[in-house]
């Protein structure tokens, strides 16, 4: 059988036991087998059941993506592995905090663009702003690119959180 | 009901007993002293004191592989645990169920670089199926039982339980039973019936079918081997097995083509290359098996039965994957074959068999035994012939002797062949033989070895002597790391860089110094007598068989070549056996 050799980007949701070492298992799997991690976020989502949700963005051929999912499913503390990219529509969001330093026209221009992107100012001094922006990865990329000539000095991004559209849970 | 409280060390021992463990292989040290103290005060579990922790794991592997039970290891913290790492990796690669208990510094010292502290769970995360660090006494009993459950179910593998010393000393409740239900870990054993029906259709329509079986059949239990044999006999299809699968189908059966892969038989590899429907049963399309991937069985539809979904489409994209335990799937497949009154295409199968018999006529394993120098193949042939009447278990080290053993020793039953297939660990065979002999005290257990591999774990002679284990080490001594030398000959212009076994000990005296028996064999006509003597001695025996130093292992698929381009023997001088793109491969 032939499988596609085109490199694709996939967003994968993983439900895991929130126990020590679980993230190391996931990351070790990726580094040990040479898979890419474009983005990885993790946080506890069910304190009662002690479950955390990992959102992974990875890229590879169809065969590699299939392997990644199978290898993840094989880890003992992993409950569910879902490929949001193939299982239908989903929403994905990322948050970034972006520090821009400058004075005069550049400062005004930064504020103006922030307004267009619906970024909030969460900290301000006479020489700097910290913007908070939420959106898809490409929107954040675009905003950061525009801030570069306007005094961009620092960026912190959360990585992607994603969830399927509709009434179904993970 | 009030739960019984006992020390952590007692809990560990009670859990082992409740799991039916009768032997453990280990080495004491500071962090595990509480467990050793409990061992001293009981007589349900036998402890085998090895001379190096790596050997403890290999012994447990040998025990596990030859019995179908879990092999249990007990080592101390720090160096005890790190020495076990090679064995754990070996067990992971070959899917051998092992539970390895490691000592750890007390919980309040973890992370302080305490004496004999190592981050054992960190180090072993990638070389175990799963691992645990027990931080709370309450979790101890449950964790112990869970470790056995994870090690034995699904695709088996090694599990480490790291035990801080304070947890071993503190009293705690024994609050778990041997029966475990796991929240997230639920391996699938039953195959999808629709897919099995589809597989039967594909197989019934096949003109050139082949069954390619692997270690998964052995892991599935003796029933799986029986079902495979029934299925092959029912259909009349040819069968080939991987290195790990040997014994899953009787080697003496006429439908058996021998092992496939790099040093497999010509007929097995040619049949794999030309087949139109391949039934892969519990094997994983390893690179030693497939040769050049892009030319692997190019005109075939592939059906793949495996318990591990990650084995599917890993190296080779298959047409019909069936996730499940081999025995369950084969049982259903046999039922469907019979109930649907499926029939193999007799005419096509006849033609296929006559093609296969043509390849067989090449007689690819032939060798020329003269009267002066012992050919290693001949030594193994004689061992096979002379041991046929006895229950015999064979382990091997890694290298030429291992491939010759796989080619020339026939296994008619599963669980009688123990070898390091995936990791290729020199030093595996001797301690593995010790583990096998512990499980089968009356059987003949032979480690087919090379002189270089044997020296990697030869300290275990002391263990064998201490426990009166009459294991036999059958050293094919060619004074080279033979497979390294062979590759240097084929790839590097016969520049034998560091592959000569310099300064070898006198193996006969070595054996005697340990209290074992040493026998040296120089000539072909001495061999039978020496083997008989070896079998008659009820003590550990070291056989030093001086064999042809320049013999190479053929047939061989050179790296980067497909199945149908096997080398049947030495190539003419000046011709490149292996192309540049093959040289980078291992």
């Amino acid at each position: 059988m032939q499988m596609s050799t085109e490199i694709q980007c996939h967003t994968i949701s993983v439900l895991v036991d929130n126990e020590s070492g679980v993230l190391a298992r996931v990351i070790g799997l990726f580094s040990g087998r040479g898979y890419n991690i474009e983005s990885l976020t993790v946080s506890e989502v069910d304190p009662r059941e002690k479950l955390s949700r990992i959102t992974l963005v990875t890229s590879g051929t169809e065969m590699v993506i299939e392997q990644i999912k199978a290898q993840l499913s094989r880890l003992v503390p992993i409950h569910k592995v879902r490929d949001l990219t193939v299982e239908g529509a989903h929403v994905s969001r990322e948050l970034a905090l972006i520090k821009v330093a400058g004075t005069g026209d550049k400062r005004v221009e930064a504020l103006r663009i922030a307004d267009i992107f619906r970024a909030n100012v969460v900290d301000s001094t006479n020489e700097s702003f910290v913007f908070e922006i939420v959106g898809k990865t490409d929107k954040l990329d675009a905003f950061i690119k525009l801030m570069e000539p306007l005094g961009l000095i620092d960026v912190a991004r959360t990585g992607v959180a994603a969830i399927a559209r509709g009434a179904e849970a993970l | 009901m009030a739960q019984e409280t006992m020390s952590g060390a007692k809990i560990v021992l009670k859990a082992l007993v409740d799991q039916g463990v009768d032997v453990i292989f280990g080495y004491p040290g500071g962090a595990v002293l509480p467990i050793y103290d409990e061992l001293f005060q009981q007589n349900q579990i036998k402890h085998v004191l090895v001379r190096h922790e790596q050997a403890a794991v290999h012994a447990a592997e040998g025990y596990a592989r030859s019995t179908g039970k879990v092999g249990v290891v007990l080592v101390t913290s720090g160096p005890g645990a790190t020495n076990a790492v090679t064995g754990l990796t070996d067990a992971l690669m070959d899917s051998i169920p092992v539970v390895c208990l490691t000592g750890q510094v007390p919980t309040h010292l973890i992370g302080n670089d305490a004496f004999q502290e190592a981050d054992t769970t960190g180090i072993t995360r990638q070389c175990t199926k799963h691992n645990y660090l027990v931080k709370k006494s309450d979790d101890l009993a449950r964790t112990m039982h869970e470790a056995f459950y994870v090690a034995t179910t699904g695709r088996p593998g090694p599990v480490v339980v790291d035990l801080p010393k304070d947890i071993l000393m503190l009293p705690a409740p024994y609050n778990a039973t041997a029966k475990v239900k796991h929240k997230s870990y639920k391996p699938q054993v039953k195959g999808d019936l629709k897919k099995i029906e589809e597989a039967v259709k594909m197989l019934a329509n096949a003109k050139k079918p082949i069954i390619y079986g692997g270690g998964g059949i052995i892991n599935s239990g003796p029933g799986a081997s029986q079902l495979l044999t029934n299925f092959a006999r029912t259909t009349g299809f040819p069968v080939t097995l991987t290195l790990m699968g040997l014994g899953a189908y009787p080697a003496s059966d006429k439908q058996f083509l021998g092992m496939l892969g790099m040093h497999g038989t010509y007929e097995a590899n040619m049949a794999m290359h030309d087949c139109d429907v391949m039934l892969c049963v519990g094997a994983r399309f390893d690179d030693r098996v497939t040769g050049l991937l892009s030319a692997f069985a190019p005109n075939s539809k592939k059906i793949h039965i495996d318990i591990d979904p990650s084995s599917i489409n890993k190296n080779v994209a298959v047409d019909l994957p069936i996730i499940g335990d081999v025995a369950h799937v084969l049982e259903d497949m046999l039922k469907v074959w019979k109930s649907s009154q499926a029939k193999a295409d007799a005419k096509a199968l006849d033609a296929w068999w006559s093609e296969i018999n043509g390849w067989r006529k090449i007689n690819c394993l032939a060798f020329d035994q003269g009267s002066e120098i012992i050919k290693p193949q001949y030594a193994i042939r004689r061992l096979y012939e002379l041991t046929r009447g006895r229950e015999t278990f064979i382990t091997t080290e890694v290298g030429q002797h291992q491939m010759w053993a796989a080619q020339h020793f026939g296994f008619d039953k599963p669980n009688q062949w123990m070898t390091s297939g995936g990791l290729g660990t020199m030093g595996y065979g001797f301690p593995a033989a010790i583990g096998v002999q512990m499980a089968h005290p009356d059987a003949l257990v032979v480690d087919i070895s090379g002189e270089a591999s044997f020296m990697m774990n030869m300290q275990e002679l002391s263990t064998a002597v201490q426990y009166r284990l009459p294991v036999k080490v059958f050293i094919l001594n060619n004074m080279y790391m033979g497979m390294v030398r062979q590759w240097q000959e084929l790839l590097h212009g016969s520049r034998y860089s560091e592959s000569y076994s310099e300064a070898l000990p006198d193996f006969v005296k070595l054996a005697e110094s340990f209290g074992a028996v040493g026998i040296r064999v120089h000539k072909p006509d001495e061999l039978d007598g020496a083997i008989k003597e070896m079998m008659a001695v009820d003590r550990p025996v070291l056989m030093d068989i001086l064999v042809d130093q320049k013999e190479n292992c053929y047939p061989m698929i050179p790296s980067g070549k497909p199945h149908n381009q096997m080398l049947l023997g030495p190539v003419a001088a000046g011709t490149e056996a292996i192309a540049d793109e093959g040289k980078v491969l291992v």
Side-chain angles (χ1 to χ4, degrees), chain B residues 394-432:
Chain B
I394 299 291
T395 71
T396 75
E397 310 289 340
V398 170
Q400 286 181 322
H401 68 271
Q402 177 190 28
M403 293 299 112
W404 282 317
Q407 291 173 339
H408 295 278
F409 203 102
F411 296 93
D412 282 345
K413 284 196 292 184
N415 304 95
Q416 307 223 303
W417 162 248
M418 273 54 58
T419 195
S420 171
L423 194 63
T425 312
M426 290 171 72
Y428 164 90
F430 184 38

Side-chain angles (χ1 to χ4, degrees), chain B residues 34-67:
Chain B
I35 300 180
Y36 274 88
D37 196 44
E38 287 299 334
L39 271 171
F40 190 81
Q41 300 174 55
Q42 57 85 49
N43 52 19
Q44 281 172 289
I45 294 174
K46 263 181 278 174
H47 177 271
V48 176
L49 175 68
V50 293
R51 291 346 187 222
H52 186 287
E53 289 88 348
Q54 181 194 349
V57 188
H58 293 325
E61 288 184 272
Y63 178 90
R65 192 74 174 166
S66 67
T67 59

Side-chain angles (χ1 to χ4, degrees), chain A residues 1-3 17 19-21 24-25 28-29 32-33 49 63 66-67 70-71 74-79, chain B residues 125-126 129-132 135 150 155 182-185 308-319:
Chain A
M1 203 181 76
Q2 288 293 310
M3 290 177 90
D17 282 327
E19 61 180 32
S20 98
R25 285 182 209 285
L29 192 158
R33 293 187 183 265
E49 295 288 318
M63 216 159 160
E66 245 195 63
Q67 263 299 296
Q71 293 289 351
R74 204 155 83 119
L75 297 177
V76 170
I78 288 194
H79 290 250
Chain B
R125 198 169 284 132
Q126 306 305 326
K129 183 173 172 187
H130 194 52
N131 63 16
Y132 302 87
K135 282 186 184 157
V150 171
R155 180 176 179 175
H182 201 277
K183 280 187 299 176
S184 55
Y185 170 79
D308 178 2
S310 77
S311 284
I312 307 289
N313 294 340
K314 183 170 65 181
N315 302 328
V316 171
V318 296
D319 300 272

Side-chain angles (χ1 to χ4, degrees), chain A residues 19 50, chain B residues 8 11-12 15 132-147 161-164 167 171-176:
Chain A
E19 61 180 32
K50 290 200 163 198
Chain B
I11 290 177
V12 169
Y132 302 87
L133 168 62
V134 182
K135 282 186 184 157
K136 285 188 295 200
S137 291
D138 273 1
D139 294 341
L140 181 57
R142 182 189 53 78
T143 306
M144 284 294 299
H145 290 302
E146 203 177 295
V161 185
D162 202 21
L163 300 162
I167 300 289
Y174 188 79
N175 55 1

